[in-house]
Amino acid sequence: MPTIAVLALMTVTPAMAQTCPVPAGWDKPAKHLAARVPDMKFALATGTTTQIELRAASDVKFAVAEREPKPRTSAGLAALDVPKAGKLDVILSNATFVNLVRDGAMLKSTGHNDLKSCTGFRKSVSFDVTPGRYIVQLNNAPERTVKMATVLN
């Protein structure tokens, strides 16, 4: 009987363990200065990791009105070109609030994952996307920089 209990425990344990993401370039991200305004010529690509230097939240003009920035937080914008339809996961290193905007409208997120138990990660937010350019709005960042990976499935 003890063997059955051990086998049952072995079957349950892996399912309970959280799978931590392994986004491309997380160890050596490209560096990027966040934009202050939504008009951007340069865009990030999906499938990459970028360390984004943010700005004082009061200096950023969001494409779509966001929640009011908390005092002493950072914010910024980045354009993102999405090549195909799918589920886009935006993975962040800290508790920065993230939204995607397209054609003047904010997309509703389709999922959130708490990644606090994964070293170097804080959360992942998912969005259903179609091909085109999006604006990534980063707000209420607790730090002056945030590492952000975008994974398109």
Side-chain angles (χ1 to χ4, degrees), residues 18-148:
Q18 181 175 12
T19 302
C20 295
V22 185
W26 191 261
D27 292 336
K28 294 186 181 187
K31 297 189 188 270
H32 182 70
L33 177 62
R36 287 188 176 107
V37 296
D39 295 330
M40 293 168 266
K41 294 185 189 328
F42 171 78
L44 302 174
T46 59
T48 63
T49 299
T50 307
Q51 183 167 319
I52 301 174
E53 182 179 341
L54 300 170
R55 303 171 179 277
S58 59
D59 292 343
V60 177
K61 179 183 177 199
F62 293 103
V64 173
E66 279 242 17
R67 60 180 61 187
E68 192 65 30
K70 294 177 184 173
R72 295 179 303 284
T73 61
S74 300
L77 305 170
L80 177 69
D81 284 337
V82 174
K84 65 178 185 172
K87 181 182 89 161
L88 179 73
D89 293 325
V90 179
I91 303 166
L92 301 170
S93 62
N94 61 32
T96 299
F97 191 79
V98 62
N99 274 311
L100 283 187
V101 175
R102 177 141 187 226
D103 299 328
M106 201 171 305
L107 271 68
K108 183 173 176 57
S109 63
T110 57
H112 295 78
N113 288 311
D114 182 345
L115 300 174
K116 289 183 215 171
S117 64
C118 299
T119 303
F121 300 95
R122 174 62 170 80
K123 67 180 181 178
S124 173
V125 182
S126 301
F127 300 90
D128 288 332
V129 295
T130 56
R133 179 160 287 193
Y134 292 80
I135 296 173
V136 180
Q137 295 191 155
L138 301 163
N139 193 6
N140 285 322
E143 300 167 17
R144 186 67 179 193
T145 62
V146 63
K147 200 183 295 187
M148 178 181 82

